[in-house]
Amino acid sequence: MLNVNEVEQIISDLIKPIKDIELVSLSSVDNRVLAQDITSDLDFPYWDNSAMDGYAVKYSDVALTSEKNPVILKVIEEIKTGYSPQKKLKMGESARIFTGGMLPQGADTIVIQENTLRQGDNVLITHPPLKGEFVRHKGSFYQAGKCLIPAGSRINAPEVAILATAQCLDIPVVRSPRIAIISTGDELISPQDTLKTGKIIDSNQYLIASFLKQNGAIPLPWGIIPDELDALETEVKKALAEADWIISTGGVSVGEYDYVDKVIEKLGGEIKVKNVRMKPGKPLTIATFGENKLYFGIPGNPVSTMVTCWRFLKSAIAKLSGEINPSSLPIVKGITCNHLRSQGTRETYLWGYTNLVDGYYQFTMAEGSHNSGNLINLQGVNSLAIIPVGVNLIEMGDDVSIFLIK
């Protein structure tokens, strides 16, 4: 049985990032991955402008200013944000200016209004500024022609704002991964069906679809497939034709009706992983079809499904999507506010809540049963405490590794 780090490396080595490129509009680019470097013909700021409300001045006019020796300057113009200055400053002159306003020719410094006293057409400067103070110089944030956002960057709110500022209206992005979701099992029904004795409502279709959307992939819900070898083979074959990857839940354990591995082999797939030394989530099948298609057969218990998605699929989807620097696994050191117990035979994950208190991460277990079938107490959790193989107990107050999921 492979350990968690070995499986993580196998998955990473198998992934071939998508090369297909498509153009999307600025309003649709959120959570997409750039396919090409973005540059701009514009400098940022576009021109010298003021960072504060105040007065644009020549520093030489105010260098010797003090409360006992204030300087009086003539105000020749008022420059509102969005307007172009009409006059050039001469010695002894200033311009009233507002935050974001364009500096007039001849000005090199801003005196904030708190250090001034307006007297009709003049302004009294009572405190000396630093030379160049509160001036945002043209091109000081970015120079035209340089790389603004590199290829492989995932576009979130700050990047969207940068693209808008650069007037990028059609953006080249990597095609979003298309991932089929198959639920297996005679016991499953959809949430729209009437619950009958012995049946289980399939939450995994919705869990995985939501997870995929959050990570920039397009879910292809394939529905529930009964425990029939031929039926599963037919649907997997269809899914392989449409999807980049397949994720199926259930059917990967050792029961008489667990057909996933048989179907994979029958359709020419090559199984690379069979079981992983972790809890929850031990029954994990990973297979390849050709060079580019991966099949993830993950456990059907909903907590096992979720933990497997967090632990392996988040970073895998990022790499498939072409991210240049997919977020490294967010594992931090902290202390536990509970006794954490494990059988010690597998790397064990306990879910709960992590807060930063006085500079230290503190982990508190979610209340209720930590059972792979108990989906209810996953609500709102933001982290997983990790108990290594060979460790049976981490006592309250001791150090613990914490996997941050939010």
Side-chain angles (χ1 to χ4, degrees):
M1 191 184 303
L2 298 171
N3 65 41
V4 171
N5 291 334
E6 288 173 329
V7 171
E8 181 190 20
Q9 187 61 55
I10 288 170
I11 294 172
S12 180
D13 291 343
L14 291 173
I15 296 171
K16 303 292 189 297
I18 292 171
K19 300 297 184 183
D20 301 335
I21 298 174
E22 58 189 23
L23 290 178
V24 299
S25 67
L26 178 62
S27 61
S28 303
V29 75
D30 190 59
N31 205 27
R32 300 299 295 271
V33 176
L34 281 182
Q36 300 169 356
D37 291 347
I38 297 295
T39 60
S40 176
D41 295 331
L42 301 172
D43 291 314
F44 300 102
Y46 310 126
W47 42 71
D48 291 354
N49 69 88
S50 176
M52 300 288 284
D53 293 342
Y55 293 84
V57 303
K58 289 179 176 290
Y59 178 73
S60 58
D61 281 339
V62 298
L64 301 179
T65 299
S66 69
E67 289 188 69
K68 294 182 179 180
N69 185 34
V71 171
I72 297 176
L73 301 175
K74 183 180 180 180
V75 180
I76 65 167
E77 185 177 15
E78 181 175 279
I79 305 170
K80 296 180 181 179
T81 307
Y83 289 85
S84 177
Q86 301 299 305
K87 298 179 180 180
K88 180 179 178 179
L89 289 193
K90 300 176 183 177
M91 296 288 292
E93 294 180 339
S94 69
R96 177 72 168 118
I97 197 167
F98 297 91
T99 302
M102 185 177 178
L103 256 67
Q105 285 187 317
D108 61 9
T109 299
I110 301 297
V111 179
I112 60 174
Q113 64 185 34
E114 292 89 339
N115 292 338
T116 67
L117 180 63
R118 187 67 181 263
Q119 298 178 334
D121 291 337
N122 297 320
V123 63
L124 188 71
I125 310 298
T126 57
H127 292 77
L130 298 174
K131 186 174 183 179
E133 192 168 24
F134 299 118
V135 174
R136 295 186 290 216
H137 291 284
K138 177 182 179 180
S140 60
F141 302 160
Y142 168 83
Q143 293 80 49
K146 293 186 176 181
C147 180
L148 184 62
I149 309 177
S153 299
R154 187 169 289 279
I155 303 301
N156 292 307
E159 291 79 16
V160 171
I162 292 169
L163 291 168
T165 299
Q167 296 184 312
C168 294
L169 304 181
D170 296 304
I171 299 105
V173 296
V174 177
R175 175 180 61 78
S176 295
R178 294 166 56 84
I179 301 179
I181 310 166
I182 296 175
S183 298
T184 69
D186 290 341
E187 74 279 11
L188 298 178
I189 62 170
S190 72
Q192 295 79 21
D193 295 336
T194 300
L195 182 61
K196 297 179 180 178
T197 303
K199 296 295 184 179
I200 298 172
I201 296 172
D202 176 25
S203 61
N204 284 338
Q205 285 273 329
Y206 299 88
L207 180 154
I208 296 173
S210 175
F211 173 82
L212 293 178
K213 290 176 186 176
Q214 291 171 10
N215 288 278
I218 298 173
L220 304 178
W222 222 259
I224 299 168
I225 311 303
D227 289 324
E228 298 172 9
L229 183 60
D230 291 344
L232 183 59
E233 179 185 345
T234 297
E235 296 307 318
V236 169
K237 191 173 182 178
K238 290 179 183 178
L240 285 171
E242 291 193 28
D244 295 295
W245 289 355
I246 297 174
I247 299 173
S248 69
T249 57
V252 291
S253 191
V254 292
E256 293 181 19
Y257 300 102
D258 292 328
Y259 292 131
V260 167
D261 289 3
K262 294 178 182 178
V263 167
I264 289 172
E265 292 173 344
K266 189 173 181 181
L267 292 175
E270 182 179 353
I271 295 176
K272 301 291 187 178
V273 172
K274 180 62 180 170
N275 294 331
V276 56
R277 190 175 285 111
M278 64 183 284
K279 181 181 180 181
K282 174 186 173 183
L284 174 64
T285 293
I286 300 173
T288 58
F289 288 87
E291 291 187 0
N292 298 320
K293 292 187 184 290
L294 295 187
Y295 188 109
F296 293 86
I298 62 181
N301 280 319
V303 177
S304 299
T305 299
M306 192 74 259
V307 171
T308 301
C309 287
W310 282 329
R311 190 62 181 85
F312 296 122
L313 287 172
K314 184 177 179 65
S315 57
I317 293 169
K319 185 172 181 180
L320 177 65
S321 302
E323 285 194 55
I324 42 173
N325 294 309
S327 299
S328 57
L329 293 177
I331 296 176
V332 299
K333 292 292 185 182
I335 60 173
T336 174
C337 299
N338 309 92
H339 294 305
L340 306 178
R341 292 181 170 82
S342 166
Q343 293 177 346
T345 56
R346 289 180 277 165
E347 185 166 298
T348 299
Y349 297 87
L350 299 173
W351 45 101
Y353 313 93
T354 295
N355 296 297
L356 195 59
V357 180
D358 296 329
Y360 294 92
Y361 287 104
Q362 293 187 2
F363 174 82
T364 303
M365 284 178 60
E367 295 182 357
S369 170
H370 279 242
N371 182 291
S372 61
N374 183 14
L375 181 64
I376 304 305
N377 69 346
L378 278 181
Q379 180 182 177
V381 302
N382 66 0
S383 52
L384 303 169
I386 304 173
I387 306 177
V389 175
V391 176
N392 298 100
L393 172 67
I394 299 177
E395 295 188 352
M396 182 171 60
D398 283 353
D399 292 342
V400 64
S401 293
I402 303 169
F403 186 94
L404 301 178
I405 56 179
K406 293 182 182 178

